[in-house]
Amino acid sequence: GIDGTSALHLQNLRVGCYCRVSSMSDMQEGSLENQMLYFTRLIRTNPKWKLAGVYYDRGKSGTKTDKRTGFQKMVRDALQGKIDLILCKSISRFSRNLLDTIDTIRKLKKSGVRIIFEKENIDTNDMTSEFIVTTLSAIAQEESRSISDNVNWSVAKRFERGEPHFTRMLG
């Protein structure tokens, strides 16, 4: 579980966390800060854990990992042996791209790094999790595509009615 009581009984497990928000709105900014605070406290209050890093991306889509510098740094650090366990709020915070998610999880697992997704209560140390992760990643990817389709549809409808598709004007 997320409290560190599962199969790994190592003292001073190096634990990092990954947090992401996709927009820069005030509400999302608060969400990012809350995620970071929550995981920092969780890690620091567990006597078997040592904080290895708080990694985050602000205002970045979850569909492409190449633009998420915090995510890339976390993966690099984990592959270099600086992190034993990564905590993340949910699979959709980690990535909304099915292939990236599975590829990253497999790469990290091969290097002995496990990931716990809190919302779904999934620990990648458990092999039955891979099927669940694959399914949930596919849903997250589809959700992202659906949101994009909805935005495009609403812009097209506004355009048909002669309404502007922007919300703010300067000048």
Side-chain angles (χ1 to χ4, degrees):
I2 195 144
D3 61 357
T5 57
S6 64
L8 275 174
H9 296 295
L10 299 174
Q11 199 65 21
N12 294 326
L13 201 61
R14 294 162 302 171
V15 183
C17 63
Y18 179 69
C19 308
R20 180 183 65 82
V21 292
S22 54
S23 76
M24 300 289 281
S25 72
D26 289 342
M27 196 167 90
Q28 290 278 294
E29 282 289 313
S31 172
L32 180 65
E33 303 308 318
N34 287 339
Q35 285 177 57
M36 292 165 66
L37 260 172
Y38 170 77
F39 284 118
T40 302
R41 280 189 189 131
L42 183 67
I43 295 165
R44 287 199 169 133
T45 57
N46 187 322
K48 293 182 180 181
W49 289 354
K50 180 179 159 211
L51 183 63
V54 176
Y55 303 87
Y56 63 93
D57 287 298
R58 177 182 273 125
K60 299 290 181 189
S61 164
T63 55
K64 293 186 172 74
T65 55
D66 59 339
K67 303 236 188 291
R68 296 192 285 141
T69 54
F71 184 85
Q72 290 177 332
K73 181 171 179 13
M74 176 193 66
V75 171
R76 265 194 320 273
D77 286 357
L79 293 175
Q80 289 170 5
K82 298 176 183 175
I83 304 172
D84 302 307
L85 169 64
I86 296 169
L87 305 178
C88 191
K89 180 180 171 184
S90 67
I91 291 172
S92 65
R93 293 293 101 203
F94 192 75
S95 177
R96 285 187 179 265
N97 179 304
L98 176 62
L99 294 177
D100 281 347
T101 303
I102 299 305
D103 182 51
T104 303
I105 289 171
R106 284 181 179 159
K107 212 182 321 181
L108 292 172
K109 191 173 171 79
K110 192 174 178 184
S111 293
V113 180
R114 93 190 223 235
I115 307 164
I116 294 177
F117 299 104
E118 189 180 53
K119 181 181 170 193
E120 297 87 0
N121 196 24
I122 291 175
D123 184 336
T124 59
N125 220 30
D126 174 11
M127 260 328 281
T128 60
S129 292
E130 185 156 339
F131 172 74
I132 297 165
V133 167
T134 302
T135 304
L136 293 172
S137 294
I139 292 166
Q141 181 174 312
E142 179 58 24
E143 213 173 78
S144 183
R145 189 197 59 74
S146 176
I147 289 166
S148 175
D149 288 350
N150 289 344
V151 169
N152 290 337
W153 180 86
S154 69
V155 168
K157 291 300 170 199
R158 276 190 250 145
F159 183 75
E160 285 173 13
R161 291 191 304 262
E163 296 173 13
H165 70 273
F166 49 83
T167 55
R168 296 183 192 153
M169 269 182 66
L170 298 175

